[in-house]
Amino acid sequence: MATHLERKHTLATRWMHWINFPLLAMMMWSGLLIYWSYQAYSINIFGFHIFAFFPDGWLDSIGLSFRLAEGIRLHFFFMWLFAINGVAYVIYTIVSGEWRSIVPVPSSFKRAPLVALHDAHIVKEKPPQGKYNDAQRIAYTGVIVMGAGSLLSGLAIYKPTQLAFLTAMFGGYQWARWVHFWITILFVLFFFVHIIQVILAGWRNFQSMITGHEIVEAEPKNEVVT
Amino acid sequence: MNEDKDILVEEIRELRKPTSRGTADILREPRHLSSELTPDEARGKMAAMTRRSFLLGGAAAAFGVLGWRWMSEETKYGLLRKTFELNERVAQTFYSPNRLATEFRRDQITDARTNGDIGMPAEFDATSWKLNVGGTAVSIDEIKAMPRTEMIIEFKCIEGWSTITHFAGVRFSDFAAKFAPNNDRRYVSLVTPDEQYYVGWDIEAIMHPQTLLAYEMNGMPLKPEHGAPLRLASPTKYGIKQIKRIGKIEFTNERPRDYWAEQGYDWYAGL
């Protein structure tokens, strides 16, 4: 065992990760301004009304009502930055080989539950872990797929006549809107789980997303000296 | 198939190793380790990198936040409007009049909604109405005598809701061929008789085969609240552009005024 600095996240990954945070936040904020004008979605189970997006007067109370035009202006500005950042990230990840740390393999889905059981202190055995474990691989790849889903459903809503085939792929205009909305809710859920996991993982892990490096005690293996 | 099996066997062998990193080993994820350091060296380097990264990241965040705050509302509005125009150019570049909106069956028609009455005061004599096309007065009978086109399309409001609606009327392109032949103007301006509501259309979208001057809706003569005697109907723009109770039509090279564009919405509003 010896002390090393391990390079965990490249400069490009870190920038794109952190830039994505305010961009996605702006897309959601402007999306809320747009959503105000037609509040179509709620959770209903077996015909029982559970929760409406959003409770009466909630958007009013936080000052988001009657701002549709502003919402559209912001949404159709930040969409470019969000899309460019996302596409750049995917291309970079493929070209640089970083995908090896991120994508799951079929057997990941068998090992992922082990991660959850271990995190819940039910199973002692540590799940195999490279840079990420299998649950992380599924989550981080999933969130990229969600981003792609946001872009495509967004396009289907934006140009439903010129891109009628795309809108049809989502099952029509209102279904494309439905997909666009629920992906956003999934982003919010992802965000909260992500924050909790980062807090639980501790300062050194968080630091590695800032500096790119982490102090490790390790037998060098597949070593690439940087 | 065999190859798949080989990979699977290799996967299992890899996972059984006591040092297995699981999927990381299967996908040959490299590690990037520095040369061996003393713990003090490592901590020192880490502290320096942390300072530098936080300073840089903090500066970038401050630059973003303060830059956005520093911009005046007018500058921001101008930037966002410019983006609308950029989006319009992109949409125009890829625009094709051959791409049609999906049409629906009669049994899919949903109830129509009324959302706006600007430019449509209650006092209005539909019987004496004539359409002013570049100075020429055209009666509703002349329009109804032209080839009739019907469509059942999804009418989309910029607010997000939509209805499946049947329209019957004259294709705008047919109408233009008759009443404004050989014109090469880039825009069309449409205004209500009282000039309180007005929209501008790019020539490409208004000449789209699914843009109609409609006098019937859902199988009935157009009702006053839906824009009798004549309105625009098209799946190429949001409802805000589908002006009701048209009074005057002009072909122009200047971008026409547009009611909702003046309220901060996209002038193009193209679907």
Side-chain angles (χ1 to χ4, degrees):
Chain A
M1 288 297 214
T3 307
H4 301 268
L5 286 184
E6 180 166 15
R7 201 266 281 136
K8 289 271 186 168
H9 311 287
T10 63
L11 187 66
T13 303
R14 282 176 281 139
W15 273 108
M16 288 188 275
H17 168 268
W18 287 111
I19 285 172
N20 192 61
F21 172 66
L23 291 182
L24 186 54
M26 281 310 284
M27 289 309 282
M28 288 189 184
W29 159 257
S30 54
L32 266 179
L33 295 179
I34 294 170
Y35 183 74
W36 165 82
S37 64
Y38 181 50
Q39 300 176 35
Y41 306 113
S42 58
I43 300 175
N44 298 287
I45 298 173
F46 302 120
F48 290 102
H49 184 75
I50 308 290
F51 183 80
F53 292 97
F54 290 94
D56 277 348
W58 182 69
L59 289 173
D60 286 331
S61 67
I62 55 173
L64 298 192
S65 43
F66 297 100
R67 293 169 69 175
L68 171 61
E70 180 191 356
I72 295 172
R73 286 198 300 272
L74 291 170
H75 214 64
F76 293 168
F77 173 79
F78 283 100
M79 70 174 182
W80 287 107
L81 306 182
F82 179 68
I84 290 168
N85 191 50
V87 170
Y89 173 76
V90 169
I91 292 173
Y92 169 78
T93 301
I94 293 168
V95 172
S96 67
E98 286 290 309
W99 63 271
R100 291 173 194 279
S101 308
I102 290 159
V103 300
V105 293
S107 55
S108 296
F109 292 89
K110 276 179 277 172
R111 288 191 292 278
L114 185 63
V115 178
L117 292 174
H118 176 77
D119 285 355
H121 302 285
I122 294 166
V123 170
K124 269 232 169 73
E125 190 194 344
K126 256 195 117 163
Q129 172 124 19
K131 187 155 103 183
Y132 301 128
N133 61 46
D134 287 289
Q136 284 176 298
R137 282 174 180 269
I138 291 167
Y140 299 158
T141 302
V143 86
I144 301 303
V145 172
M146 278 156 57
S150 275
L151 286 186
L152 290 174
S153 58
L155 270 174
I157 299 163
Y158 189 39
K159 300 289 167 193
T161 298
Q162 285 295 306
L163 301 176
F165 67 95
L166 187 65
T167 311
M169 248 174 52
F170 283 99
Y173 183 69
Q174 288 300 339
W175 281 111
R177 289 177 50 86
W178 185 90
V179 168
H180 202 68
F181 177 84
W182 283 105
I183 288 177
T184 309
I185 299 299
L186 285 180
F187 271 125
V188 175
L189 294 178
F190 175 90
F191 176 78
F192 284 119
V193 173
H194 191 51
I195 296 300
I196 289 166
Q197 294 284 33
V198 166
I199 291 169
L200 292 177
W203 169 249
R204 264 163 60 145
N205 171 68
F206 179 73
Q207 205 178 11
S208 77
M209 201 60 205
I210 306 276
T211 65
H213 291 77
E214 196 173 330
I215 297 174
V216 291
E217 307 287 332
E219 257 354 300
K221 192 190 166 202
N222 302 333
E223 185 172 351
V224 179
V225 177
T226 53
Chain B
M1 209 47 216
N2 250 337
E3 214 174 293
D4 283 355
K5 209 187 271 171
D6 286 348
I7 291 171
L8 201 64
V9 168
E10 203 190 328
E11 260 186 42
I12 291 164
R13 199 176 293 145
E14 198 59 57
L15 287 173
R16 289 258 168 86
K17 280 190 203 164
T19 60
S20 172
R21 295 191 298 144
T23 310
D25 285 340
I26 295 164
L27 295 178
R28 296 192 172 76
E29 173 191 313
R31 293 189 69 176
H32 306 273
L33 292 173
S34 70
S35 52
E36 208 178 310
L37 302 165
T38 68
D40 280 346
E41 279 176 325
R43 273 195 296 274
K45 282 193 167 187
M46 212 48 220
M49 277 194 287
T50 304
R51 270 196 303 277
R52 211 188 56 173
S53 299
F54 268 103
L55 276 175
L56 210 69
F63 181 78
V65 172
L66 293 177
W68 188 252
R69 297 231 152 161
W70 168 79
M71 266 198 280
S72 68
E73 283 305 314
E74 293 79 56
T75 313
K76 255 186 258 182
Y77 185 75
L79 172 70
L80 299 178
R81 280 233 87 102
K82 280 264 180 307
T83 311
F84 272 160
E85 286 161 26
L86 166 76
N87 295 347
E88 177 177 341
R89 278 198 296 280
V90 174
Q92 288 274 28
T93 306
F94 294 103
Y95 178 87
S96 163
N98 302 321
R99 284 198 280 257
L100 301 179
T102 311
E103 300 215 8
F104 297 83
R105 299 186 312 270
R106 264 177 193 283
D107 62 282
Q108 290 173 298
I109 291 172
T110 57
D111 289 340
R113 270 182 71 166
T114 321
N115 220 39
D117 56 7
I118 304 154
M120 302 207 300
E123 285 151 55
F124 174 67
D125 181 14
T127 53
S128 67
W129 175 90
K130 281 218 190 323
L131 179 64
N132 174 345
V133 189
T136 312
V138 180
S139 72
I140 194 72
D141 292 333
E142 280 176 274
I143 291 167
K144 284 184 177 167
M146 292 184 63
R148 176 189 163 93
T149 302
E150 287 188 51
M151 63 183 183
I152 301 172
I153 49 106
E154 190 163 10
F155 173 94
K156 298 172 198 82
C157 179
I158 200 161
E159 293 173 347
W161 53 268
S162 62
T163 59
I164 308 290
T165 304
H166 160 267
F167 289 104
V170 176
R171 272 203 183 112
F172 191 90
S173 56
D174 290 347
F175 172 86
K178 181 164 180 189
F179 293 101
N182 308 320
N183 94 79
D184 54 0
R185 304 283 164 86
R186 289 162 54 206
Y187 299 105
V188 179
S189 153
L190 303 100
V191 184
T192 54
D194 67 353
E195 303 191 348
Q196 293 303 300
Y197 197 76
Y198 37 90
V199 296
W201 280 63
D202 53 292
I203 199 76
E204 290 83 7
I206 209 163
M207 291 300 197
H208 187 277
Q210 288 171 307
T211 302
L212 307 186
L213 285 170
Y215 44 74
E216 275 180 38
M217 188 171 161
N218 292 343
M220 311 260 283
L222 204 55
K223 291 182 181 148
E225 67 268 29
H226 290 302
L230 194 68
R231 70 168 295 168
L232 213 53
S234 174
T236 68
K237 302 271 186 203
Y238 285 117
I240 48 173
K241 289 280 194 187
Q242 299 175 40
I243 184 172
K244 303 191 271 197
R245 195 190 285 179
I246 307 170
K248 190 164 76 177
I249 297 179
E250 270 177 326
F251 294 78
T252 166
N253 274 328
E254 247 169 77
R255 210 165 161 90
R257 283 178 74 196
D258 188 276
Y259 184 88
W260 287 105
E262 289 172 2
Q263 311 291 318
Y265 287 84
D266 181 15
W267 185 93
Y268 186 64
L271 299 172

